[in-house]
Amino acid sequence: MVSARITALVENTVGGRELLAEHGLSLWIELGPKRLLFDTGQGKVLGGNAQRLGVRLELADAIVLSHGHYDHTGGLADALRSAWRTTVYGHSAAFGAKYAKNPDGSARDVGMPFLGGQKVREKADLVLVEGPTEVCEGLRLTGPIPRACDFENAGGAFFKDQGCAEPDELVDDQAAYIETSAGTVVLLGCAHAGVINTLRHVQSQTNGRAIHTVIGGMHLLNASAERMDKTVAELRRLDVRRLLPCHCTGFAAAARLWNEFPGRCAACPVGTVVEVPR
Ligand SMILES: [Zn+2]
Ligand SMILES: [Zn+2]
């Protein structure tokens, strides 16, 4: 394994001087000679945070989109403007219309702003991910994740149309992972497929290798008590060494995980650097 580390460029929280937070996620991955951007946040703070953290977005060899929601793709236009030469990886559904239903029945647009696949192609190579995909040596994408667990769901009222007639199962949702001798390091966007479905799918692609680290959004803010209990039980069974539940995980869910897995959880504010074991 080449050396690797992950830097949080965009996250919902921040603790450092001259860094800014927003509701969103973007992780910078240095993997041997490669530089990869996993999600782009909403785009309001990506460039500034990158500059202050000494991250050169122009060097991004690849930009991975975990799914199409605006808080992961809003910075794509800026990232593409910065990048000298890059390849974008995302499922075709990530470029489709996406809405969330409000409690009063109205809908709000939560899709990718400004860009369609065609516009991406004007700036970069575009790889439409349909299944397990290698981005570069050491980093792979799960592609669409089977929804095998009966206790997990997409985590909200998501639809493909403004009238909220056609549910959006977020088939575009995918995770990235790095295999190391200590176990697999998994990067989640929002885990709309469910964090346990995601980890099981990663294991199915890695000969059952142990999961070492899970970093990213777990979208458990609407999770039922039953789902939380089963998620905790499965994470315990998987014996995950290090958890960085952040972004859309939800405060109560994150607090539960911190209590259930003492010494194994960490926060992930903007500027956090996670060393990947070799
Ligand atoms: Zn999302
Ligand atoms: Zn999100």
Side-chain angles (χ1 to χ4, degrees), residues 7-15 19-28 38-46 49 53 71-72 188-189 215-218 244-251 254 266-272:
T7 303
L9 292 183
V10 178
E11 207 270 323
N12 295 38
T13 61
V14 69
L19 296 169
L20 294 171
E22 71 180 9
H23 174 63
L25 186 70
S26 178
L27 304 171
W28 179 251
F38 179 81
D39 286 342
T40 67
Q42 289 189 44
K44 307 292 182 197
V45 303
L46 177 69
N49 285 347
L53 292 166
D71 51 324
H72 299 256
L188 308 171
I215 176 172
M218 298 187 187
L244 293 97
C246 58
H247 175 46
C248 61
T249 301
F251 195 81
C268 191
V270 172
T272 299

Side-chain angles (χ1 to χ4, degrees), residues 138-160:
L139 188 112
R140 295 180 63 85
L141 303 178
T142 59
I145 297 163
R147 315 295 165 96
C149 294
D150 57 3
F151 60 88
E152 295 190 309
N153 56 46
F158 300 117
F159 295 88
K160 293 179 181 172

Side-chain angles (χ1 to χ4, degrees), residues 214-244:
V214 181
I215 176 172
M218 298 187 187
H219 214 86
L220 294 167
L221 67 174
N222 301 316
S224 65
E226 184 208 5
R227 178 174 178 179
M228 277 309 303
D229 289 347
K230 290 185 171 173
T231 298
V232 166
E234 280 295 301
L235 290 172
R236 182 162 286 126
R237 193 186 63 75
L238 289 165
D239 196 25
V240 179
R241 295 278 139 185
R242 184 168 57 172
L243 290 164
L244 293 97

Side-chain angles (χ1 to χ4, degrees), residues 88-93 95 117 121 126-131 133:
V88 175
Y89 291 78
H91 190 277
S92 59
F95 300 95
R121 281 197 184 89
L126 175 61
V127 175
L128 294 177
V129 176
E130 290 172 1
T133 300

